[in-house]
Amino acid sequence: MINRILIRMKVVQMLYSYLLTRSRFNIIPAPDAPSRDKRFAHSLYNELLLLLLDNSGYRITFDSDNILRIIAPERSKSGQPYTRIAAALSTNDELRPIITAQRSWIEALTPLRGVYSAALKESAIFKEYMRKRTPMEIDDEARLWKNLIRTVLLRDKGIDTLVRSNPDFTINGYNEALRMFDATIDDYADVRSSLIDARRSLGISLDKAYELYHSLLQLMIDLTHMREIQIDEAKHKYLPSHDDLNPNMKFVENQFVRAIAENADMKAYLEATPISWIDDQVTLRHLLDKIMESEIYKAYMADPVSDMEKDSELWYALFKNVIADSDELAEALEAQSVFWNDDLAIMGSFVLKTIRRFAHAGDDLESVNLMPKFKDIEDERFGPRLFDAAVAHQQEYRALIDSRLEGSTWDPERLAFMDIVILETAIAELLNFPSIPTVVTVNEYTEIANYYSTAKSGQFVTGMLYGIINQLKSDGTLVKE
């Protein structure tokens, strides 16, 4: 059964991959051996990117040591359209050399800012944006910026004079710069396909986790079958020994393995999703050798008593102590699916629970069901709902995180991106799932941070989440305990 612990991990994984692709802002490099048109086009193109940043409330400064700083706006105090496009642009490493090269342009904007900022705020486009109560889709943001640049900012007399003061100015270069700007913004805004892919990947990864559960049960069947083949081959070799001709069949006649192979749920799943380890003879042979060398196997084979409980306990002990932690299994799982090694601990625990179910079933084996994929419909919907909430409000949650970082001892520039993703997912859960206690959310995402990120990530995530919870409770946004 896929529980919420695993679902949270999957959502964090998929959100990390999705946001990583969405944080890429592909800035067009300078052309080789440029003509005057191309030289001016690239210069104006860079200046338009800086105008976007400036009018989103970002401030570019150089300190006394000439070190560049890009200061993000405080969203609650900013009258500018603070958008995901500007946020992504501000963190792009390629922007810094552009800012240095265009420093005189930035300084020339300073005395003009009051006029063009006022014009922007009075524009119909900007007012329509500010009336929106929900965050824009990214393609809407792209249209916003293309319209603001053309119809407001480039029509400002001060900016127009500044643009035309470039000795390389040409009309062809001017139009090419706008085309380049549009292409860059549109490329970033092409989010629909990547979002669909991320949602699909979340579903696939959960399907694969459930497949792993069945695959681990099938492994026991195939290991037993391999041992059965070995016994048969030994009987028919050229000079079989007495033991070869009279083998101990207890292992291959194990009642638990037979019950799993004949289980209606197992048969139905295998019919829909064929699984077999038969093609991986190397892994089977290595694992079977380890099993037969173990004291668990030897004690079982020496015991004359055989029943469902003891047969089940054999595989419980073998799986827990021999199979689950073996390098052979880890390598095989990694080869079969990129998801499986992360899923093994949780799905392995459900394999052990399943074995116990059979051990305690007595004679009523037909009534034993395998674990369902999800406990209930709420768990089935939990992953997609959590992912969609984290994506839809990612900008808001990031701003909340940034507000907590201000004045703290944590350096935002040095934070692991995974830590930010974990925090955003945790905030999505805090605000969108009222039935989940806050302490559960904090504990679960602290564990995820300890597993996936840096040595100090768990401590960081715990401290940040409690601070965010207190802040949300104080302003009435969060009311649950």
Side-chain angles (χ1 to χ4, degrees):
M1 180 173 65
I2 300 172
N3 62 12
R4 293 195 176 190
I5 297 172
L6 184 59
I7 294 171
R8 289 182 180 96
M9 294 172 66
K10 295 297 183 184
V11 171
V12 167
Q13 289 173 358
M14 297 307 142
L15 186 63
Y16 177 86
S17 299
Y18 169 71
L19 293 179
L20 199 61
T21 61
R22 294 317 315 146
S23 65
R24 292 173 185 160
F25 204 100
N26 297 317
I27 296 177
I28 300 172
D32 296 328
S35 63
R36 179 181 174 182
D37 285 345
K38 290 182 178 180
R39 190 165 57 246
F40 174 71
H42 192 262
S43 176
L44 178 57
Y45 163 72
N46 289 336
E47 291 160 2
L48 295 179
L49 293 178
L50 296 179
L51 264 180
L52 186 157
L53 205 62
D54 180 82
N55 284 277
S56 296
Y58 287 82
R59 290 294 169 259
I60 298 167
T61 63
F62 293 86
D63 63 19
S64 57
D65 296 322
N66 219 31
I67 297 175
L68 168 65
R69 289 183 61 83
I70 302 175
I71 303 171
E74 294 182 39
R75 192 178 181 215
S76 59
K77 298 179 181 178
S78 174
Q80 291 86 356
Y82 176 67
T83 69
R84 284 167 285 188
I85 291 177
L89 176 61
S90 71
T91 59
N92 191 297
D93 291 338
E94 296 173 4
L95 185 68
R96 292 181 175 273
I98 291 174
I99 292 173
T100 301
Q102 301 287 351
R103 185 170 180 177
S104 60
W105 161 270
I106 296 167
E107 292 171 347
L109 284 178
T110 302
L112 307 176
R113 185 173 292 122
V115 176
Y116 67 70
S117 291
L120 183 145
K121 291 176 183 177
E122 289 301 315
S123 69
I125 300 168
F126 179 80
K127 288 180 178 179
E128 181 183 356
Y129 169 84
M130 294 303 289
R131 282 196 296 268
K132 290 184 178 291
R133 294 183 177 273
T134 57
M136 279 187 177
E137 296 291 338
I138 292 182
D139 53 353
D140 291 330
E141 292 182 11
R143 284 192 291 273
L144 168 73
W145 281 114
K146 288 188 289 186
N147 287 330
L148 285 176
I149 289 291
R150 279 176 167 77
T151 64
V152 180
L153 296 173
L154 286 178
R155 291 184 181 181
D156 176 82
K157 290 183 179 180
I159 293 177
D160 181 66
T161 301
L162 189 59
V163 168
R164 293 175 183 273
S165 67
N166 188 322
D168 286 330
F169 175 87
T170 66
I171 292 297
N172 288 339
Y174 184 94
N175 292 329
E176 177 63 13
L178 287 173
R179 187 200 65 77
M180 293 165 64
F181 178 81
D182 288 352
T184 298
I185 299 300
D186 287 339
D187 177 66
Y188 180 81
D190 186 20
V191 67
R192 194 172 304 278
S193 62
S194 60
L195 180 56
I196 291 171
D197 288 343
R199 286 176 177 149
R200 185 184 299 116
S201 294
L202 175 61
I204 291 171
S205 68
L206 293 171
D207 289 342
K208 293 297 289 183
Y210 196 49
E211 181 182 326
L212 175 61
Y213 166 70
H214 290 85
S215 184
L216 294 171
L217 293 173
Q218 183 64 36
L219 176 60
M220 301 173 192
I221 298 172
D222 290 343
L223 284 167
T224 302
H225 181 62
M226 171 172 272
R227 181 55 185 152
E228 190 174 10
I229 292 173
Q230 290 177 347
I231 290 172
D232 186 66
E233 289 175 346
K235 285 182 180 180
H236 295 90
K237 68 183 181 182
Y238 180 60
L239 291 174
S241 66
H242 178 271
D243 289 341
D244 292 333
L245 295 172
N246 300 278
N248 184 340
M249 300 295 287
K250 188 176 181 182
F251 182 77
V252 300
E253 293 175 352
N254 183 279
Q255 295 179 52
F256 165 72
V257 170
R258 186 186 304 122
I260 283 290
E262 295 174 356
N263 180 269
D265 290 344
M266 187 71 173
K267 286 182 176 180
Y269 185 87
L270 292 178
E271 185 176 348
T273 311
I275 299 169
S276 176
W277 291 79
I278 297 302
D279 291 337
D280 194 352
Q281 291 289 302
V282 174
T283 299
L284 286 177
R285 188 166 55 253
H286 285 165
L287 287 175
L288 186 57
D289 288 345
K290 281 194 164 190
I291 287 171
M292 295 176 65
E293 291 167 2
S294 70
E295 294 302 319
I296 297 168
Y297 173 84
K298 292 174 183 177
Y300 169 78
M301 296 300 284
D303 186 350
V305 179
S306 181
D307 56 32
M308 174 57 77
E309 185 172 357
K310 288 191 174 183
D311 287 5
S312 299
E313 289 301 325
L314 167 74
W315 279 105
Y316 186 98
L318 287 176
F319 184 82
K320 183 176 181 179
N321 299 292
V322 179
I323 297 173
D325 291 333
S326 66
D327 293 337
E328 290 81 4
L329 180 63
E331 291 174 7
L333 295 183
E334 186 174 359
Q336 291 188 52
S337 172
V338 295
F339 303 109
W340 277 359
N341 271 325
D342 285 343
D343 302 344
L344 178 58
I346 292 174
M347 301 319 293
S349 71
F350 289 116
V351 168
L352 294 175
K353 289 181 180 180
T354 300
I355 297 173
R356 282 283 162 84
R357 280 188 177 186
F358 279 87
H360 300 145
D363 296 330
D364 193 19
L365 292 176
E366 291 186 3
S367 67
V368 180
N369 298 118
L370 299 188
M371 296 284 187
K373 185 175 181 181
F374 296 101
K375 181 183 71 174
D376 52 34
I377 192 66
E378 287 300 313
D379 274 12
E380 184 176 357
R381 294 172 177 171
F382 178 64
R385 284 184 59 204
L386 180 60
F387 179 82
D388 288 346
V391 170
H393 302 284
Q394 188 264 335
Q395 183 181 347
E396 299 169 37
Y397 299 159
R398 180 58 195 264
L400 183 59
I401 294 166
D402 289 343
S403 71
R404 294 300 308 173
L405 289 172
E406 290 179 10
S408 72
T409 57
W410 299 98
D411 183 357
E413 299 293 328
R414 296 186 178 182
L415 292 180
F417 182 53
M418 176 58 84
D419 291 349
I420 299 299
V421 173
I422 291 169
L423 284 171
E424 289 173 353
T425 312
I427 296 169
E429 182 173 311
L430 286 168
L431 294 176
N432 295 280
F433 295 87
S435 65
I436 301 176
T438 57
V439 67
V440 171
T441 299
V442 173
N443 291 340
E444 293 296 344
Y445 288 96
T446 297
E447 288 302 313
I448 291 174
N450 286 331
Y451 183 79
Y452 278 120
S453 202
T454 65
K456 295 183 178 180
S457 292
Q459 177 187 355
F460 168 71
V461 166
T462 301
M464 285 290 292
L465 283 179
Y466 277 119
I468 288 168
I469 288 168
N470 290 335
Q471 180 177 335
L472 292 173
K473 284 184 175 181
S474 67
D475 64 22
T477 305
L478 185 68
V479 295
K480 68 179 181 179
E481 291 301 322

